[in-house]
Amino acid sequence: MPGIDSKQATAVGIVSGFSAASGFFILLVAARALSGPANAEFLAFWAALFAVYGVLSGVTAETTRAIGRRRMKPAAPPGGSIAMNALISGSVLAGLIAAVSISSSIGSATHQWPIVAILIFTSLAFSMQGGLAGALQATDQWGPYSLLVLMEAVFRLGAIAVAAGVGLGLLGLETATLAALLACPLLLACSSVARQCIRAHADVPLRALLRRTAQSCASAAASAALVVSYPLLVKVTTAPEEFALSAPVLLAISLTRAPIMLPLVAFQGAIINMVLRADNGEGWRKLSRPILGVILLGFGGAALAWSLGPWFMTLLGGDYRIQGWVLAALTLSAAGVAVLTLLGMALLAMGRHRSYMFGWIAASLSAFLLLMLPYSTEIRCSVSLLAGPLVGIAIHLYALTSVPAGFCGDRSRGA
């Protein structure tokens, strides 16, 4: 199987870089267009929205693994439908969002239910987009995959820019995020390759595929808590009057995450394919150089964040002042999350879903518990985001190196 070549990797890298830049721009636009308290609410919504995206990235990852394994066994009977798996997974998540919204507050009290509707619709539509993205990556269709990522970013950025430009306010910016969901149906309408990929089948029956997807999505939910949805954890562990003043640190968290994590997420299919096709139990060691690169990038970025970060934040306005050491700690923590992500992708490719899930859950739970420390928001976030990923990294490394047959209940490569 050919895998991804340098030209295709460059295209994916450029598109993922644009996606990261568009996320930066959206956060900057929101910071300038909204008041401090309103922007804190937007950042919490942004975290909830990307929590949905993050959970459904489990559909993408498992689809990549399932189709990739199926392609290695062409004589085997076809397994479950990728499209049906994505649809069921999205529907389950939509139901969970509806259930949670009944017992807790999502968004501000003035427009909670419109936000709930946005999140439910997103979970239904984006699950199919996640399945399509995974199928395209598994079959080395990097051109259509790059186009899918590009359209999603362009549609979201354009709609939010228009909403901010005409002064639609907080709810208008939140509603504009739905434009990103046009990417999947548009690509399916225009590309026969995409339509063929979405009709692909997995290596196991639908019931087993759903179970493995659930494990992958649970892991993705835990990872989303650290990667994109962390402001929600801050909101539930912080007094309302203190959270209303937390926009600077929440924005700093989002800004320091994007440069490392968005390109990495875009390449997760290539990472899974690389480990999967090695198929010797040691494929994960090929990630040593990317991991070293992420660590070096983290330390270099932390140095820049310490020296230049406070000046950059003041460009957003006088209310966005934050100390250099906080920005450095948050940047370094992003590198830790990236290393945890790389190791987790290796476990998933090897079929060790439970080890993958346990590492992410332990990391996120540790980070959440540390947020309950009786210190300022800046200190709690820095300690939480630095220490939490280290717990998950230790668990993933143990699973990869110390227990050849798996860890935490993995019975086999297909467990």
Side-chain angles (χ1 to χ4, degrees):
M1 297 181 189
I4 186 170
D5 60 32
S6 58
K7 184 178 179 180
Q8 293 167 332
T10 300
V12 174
I14 291 173
V15 167
S16 63
F18 175 80
S19 180
S22 72
F24 269 112
F25 185 77
I26 287 170
L27 294 176
L28 296 178
V29 166
R32 301 293 292 185
L34 302 172
S35 66
N39 192 37
E41 289 292 343
F42 178 79
L43 290 170
F45 163 79
W46 189 256
L49 177 69
F50 275 81
V52 174
Y53 292 162
V55 171
L56 294 175
S57 72
V59 175
T60 303
E62 178 56 22
T63 299
T64 303
R65 187 213 64 79
I67 295 179
R69 181 65 67 180
R70 164 76 178 143
R71 295 180 76 202
M72 296 173 67
K73 302 183 295 182
S81 165
I82 291 302
M84 183 60 67
N85 176 65
L87 180 60
I88 293 174
S89 299
S91 299
V92 170
L93 179 58
L96 289 175
I97 292 171
V100 169
S101 68
I102 295 174
S103 58
S104 63
S105 175
I106 300 177
S108 65
T110 57
H111 60 276
Q112 176 182 353
W113 291 110
I115 289 179
V116 172
I118 291 171
L119 297 179
I120 288 176
F121 186 78
T122 297
S123 67
L124 292 171
F126 198 79
S127 61
M128 292 301 295
Q129 185 163 320
L132 176 59
L136 291 170
Q137 292 177 88
T139 53
D140 294 316
Q141 298 295 336
W142 299 104
Y145 171 71
S146 297
L147 183 57
L148 180 67
V149 175
L150 178 62
M151 288 194 298
E152 177 193 338
V154 168
F155 293 163
R156 184 187 300 114
L157 174 61
I160 289 180
V162 170
V166 299
L168 294 183
L170 175 59
L171 184 57
L173 266 65
E174 293 166 339
T175 304
T177 61
L178 292 173
L181 302 178
L182 295 173
C184 179
L186 185 59
L187 185 63
L188 287 173
C190 299
S191 171
S192 59
V193 170
R195 292 193 295 272
Q196 181 179 0
C197 285
I198 200 65
R199 292 194 294 266
H201 289 265
D203 61 328
V204 294
L206 180 59
R207 183 174 180 179
L209 180 63
L210 287 168
R211 183 178 68 251
R212 295 181 183 186
T213 301
Q215 292 175 326
S216 182
C217 286
S219 306
S223 69
L226 288 178
V227 177
V228 292
S229 302
Y230 191 76
L232 287 179
L233 300 185
V234 177
K235 185 173 184 178
V236 301
T237 56
T238 305
E241 59 274 11
E242 184 180 354
F243 180 78
L245 303 175
S246 66
V249 68
L250 296 182
L251 183 59
I253 291 170
S254 297
L255 292 176
T256 54
R257 284 282 175 272
I260 294 179
M261 291 306 305
L262 285 181
L264 185 59
V265 170
F267 278 100
Q268 72 173 356
I271 295 167
I272 292 173
N273 283 339
M274 180 177 66
V275 177
L276 181 64
R277 291 166 185 176
D279 201 35
N280 57 7
E282 295 294 319
W284 70 273
R285 297 188 186 277
K286 292 185 177 181
L287 299 178
S288 58
R289 293 180 66 182
I291 287 174
L292 178 60
V294 164
I295 293 173
L296 293 176
L297 181 62
F299 277 101
L304 288 175
W306 195 314
S307 59
L308 300 179
W311 167 80
F312 176 80
M313 293 294 291
T314 59
L315 296 179
L316 306 178
D319 294 335
Y320 289 89
R321 299 185 182 276
I322 193 165
Q323 297 180 68
W325 72 265
V326 177
L327 295 169
L330 295 177
T331 302
L332 195 58
S333 73
V337 176
V339 171
L340 180 59
T341 300
L342 286 167
L343 295 175
M345 289 295 101
L347 281 170
L348 183 63
M350 297 165 67
R352 300 180 182 177
H353 292 66
R354 294 182 184 177
S355 302
Y356 169 60
M357 178 174 63
F358 185 74
W360 271 114
I361 290 175
S364 296
L365 181 59
S366 299
F368 178 72
L369 292 175
L370 288 169
L371 272 176
M372 298 181 183
L373 292 172
Y375 301 112
S376 68
T377 303
E378 291 83 356
I379 293 177
R380 289 187 296 119
C381 289
S382 299
V383 172
S384 166
L385 288 171
L386 284 169
L390 294 178
V391 175
I393 289 171
I395 292 172
H396 281 178
L397 282 174
Y398 179 78
L400 288 166
T401 61
S402 300
V403 187
F407 177 65
C408 192
D410 291 347
R411 293 185 296 273
S412 67
R413 292 176 68 88

